Amino acid sequence: MAEAGGPESAAARCPDESSDSEPEQEPGTPQKLIRKVSTSGQIRSKTVLKEGNLMKQTNSFQRWKRRYFKLRGRTLYYAQTAKSIIFDEVDLTDASVAESSTKNFNNSFTVITPCRRLILCADNRKEMEEWMAALRSVQNRQNYESTQYSMDHFSGMHNWYACSHARPTYCNVCREALSGVTSHGLSCEVCKFKAHKRCAVRATNNCKWTTLASIGKDIIEDEDGVSMPHQWLEGNLPVSAKCNVCDKTCGSVLRLQDWRCLWCKAMVHSGCKEQLSSKCPLGQCKVSVIPPTALNSIDSDGFWKASCPPSCTSPLLVFVNSKSGDNQGVKFLRRFKQLLNPAQVFDLMNGGPHLGLRLFQKFDTFRILVCGGDGSVGWVLSEIDALTLH
């Protein structure tokens, strides 16, 4: 399919130059033609944010074809090769990005727009994460630099991945059930916010807080100083959930109801929520959790102006090698982000240990946990020596 005019006739003359893809439609989404554009025009007029080869899944028997992609402005272009005359165009204005790796092996991710869905696969996990960070930065109106630390940690944006659910689960956006058997819907790897693929673009950027600024107007200020409130997420509670106020069963498998705190894991009925203390105690991991209120700003030299509250007696800095354990490190990354402040957790395959150590260099004392092999541990120890940390 192509829009009428020059690009269509050019594609007809040079069929091998086109990526000849078809849009993947979800029920109820509007139909839209795929535009084919010339590289000599609007593509070259915009700055390249990211480019390179990726595998793209086709509609026919789920085959994969290698394509060359260019991310410029809020548009993703792709064709057979970098020198192709005709490129297909995907508008990213209302797009979302989700990891869709099967068992975390094939480094695939999905670009979801209101009109189509692209399933792409990178050569390795680092390349996949760089592409996802670049695509998310377009939505967050940030300039993407591969050498910089990914600011997804601090943007409030959800980190989606496609997953299945063994029990009735409801979308936190439209409140309707996630239908289907496998990979039905998206889940945020940090806060477990659930969404249909078509609803993900409308989800508010309210993922787990990382810094004082991310808490915003909800912060509690009293004679004891600055405190953090509960950060509530509605519905999809475990079957065994009990209200922390009345000790009765809460949650439902029939609809989205009741609440769970992302930090202390407290669960309450909607009617009981006002009776619970507004200050969050941070739960069982509080001695290791660096609360967002402690990370208030960054110095000009890149260090946090951080001050640990009395509750955080031994803050924990976590480094995970996502490739260790046959790529099972990805599951460790997700779990630690759920238990701790996501700003405490770093993937060694995405920038190494240097930035994590620098960010927390001004803490008086902190512990380091390395999840990986001997090489990962040695890498962190050598960086500790280089920064003269004790």
Side-chain angles (χ1 to χ4, degrees), residues 55-122:
M55 298 298 290
K56 176 184 171 296
Q57 191 179 87
T58 67
N59 283 345
S60 54
F61 305 105
Q62 293 191 338
R63 292 182 301 169
W64 294 87
K65 292 185 177 179
R66 197 164 189 84
R67 294 288 178 256
Y68 192 82
F69 286 79
K70 292 185 179 184
L71 176 61
R72 294 176 183 254
R74 291 202 166 198
T75 308
L76 182 66
Y77 303 95
Y78 65 94
Q80 272 197 330
T81 68
K83 297 182 179 179
S84 294
I85 300 172
I86 301 300
F87 273 65
D88 283 354
E89 173 188 304
V90 181
D91 184 6
L92 301 176
T93 302
D94 292 313
S96 58
V97 187
E99 183 180 340
S100 53
S101 298
T102 305
K103 296 182 181 179
N104 300 315
F105 286 115
N106 63 356
N107 307 310
S108 65
F109 58 100
T110 308
V111 181
I112 307 159
T113 75
C115 300
R116 65 184 302 195
R117 187 165 70 248
L118 284 176
I119 301 178
L120 309 173
C121 180

Side-chain angles (χ1 to χ4, degrees), residues 100 160 191 234 243 275 279 291 322 332:
S100 53
W160 301 115
C191 69
E234 187 178 13
C243 177
Q275 301 176 45
K279 295 182 182 179
S322 58
F332 280 76

